[in-house]
Amino acid sequence: MGASRPQCTVPLVEVCITDDLHLASLPRSRQVFEQLLGLRPAHVVVDLSDCRHLDAAAVGLLLDVHRQLVRHGGVLTLRDPSVPALRVLRAARVSRVLPMVTTPRALPAGGGQVPSAARRWAAPTEIREHVR
């Protein structure tokens, strides 16, 4: 009989990164993630929409968190990386290891909110020609 895997105790934890995530901020960020991992979450979603700068040390931290989650059956998902953060994540090929998702944004329209997914974009000319 082998050792049993520790069970997840919290279904979902969401973390919003609202500042740059880089080497100088890593000690505090690591501390927050260690506390979070102590909850044994099944799923951690890290929102990177407000993170304008992400460096290699931050990518390493995210991968460390991923490895620790996997040990007890959890998963880490990156949500809505900003354009600069996405460039770094793509260069590091993080999407091969971590799922990344984007969500529709709410946009003002006529006094209300509509999801950006509902916006209509003109199809490129070559696509329109094939639809005719």
Side-chain angles (χ1 to χ4, degrees):
M1 291 190 179
S4 65
R5 194 183 234 185
Q7 295 297 312
C8 298
T9 58
V10 176
L12 174 68
V13 175
E14 293 189 29
V15 177
C16 295
I17 306 295
T18 58
D19 205 354
D20 295 347
L21 191 57
H22 49 71
L23 185 60
S25 67
L26 235 50
R28 177 68 181 132
S29 300
R30 186 173 299 281
Q31 183 182 34
V32 169
F33 278 112
E34 285 175 3
Q35 290 174 349
L36 178 149
L37 290 168
L39 299 172
R40 297 253 185 249
H43 191 181
V44 174
V45 176
V46 178
D47 186 316
L48 294 170
S49 59
D50 291 329
C51 180
R52 298 293 166 224
H53 177 72
L54 189 83
D55 68 7
V59 170
L61 172 63
L62 292 171
L63 291 173
D64 285 346
V65 170
H66 161 72
R67 281 188 285 273
Q68 292 178 48
L69 280 167
V70 168
R71 283 189 196 123
H72 66 79
V75 64
L76 175 68
T77 301
L78 304 179
R79 179 176 61 208
D80 296 330
S82 65
V83 172
L86 186 58
R87 280 189 206 114
V88 172
L89 294 167
R90 282 183 177 159
R93 299 183 183 205
V94 171
S95 63
R96 291 184 177 188
V97 179
L98 299 176
M100 284 194 279
V101 297
T102 56
T103 56
R105 300 274 177 194
L107 297 175
Q113 297 275 319
V114 295
S116 62
R119 287 178 30 188
R120 299 279 179 182
W121 297 97
T125 308
E126 56 275 1
I127 293 174
R128 281 191 296 226
E129 291 174 0
H130 294 291
V131 173
R132 291 183 187 169

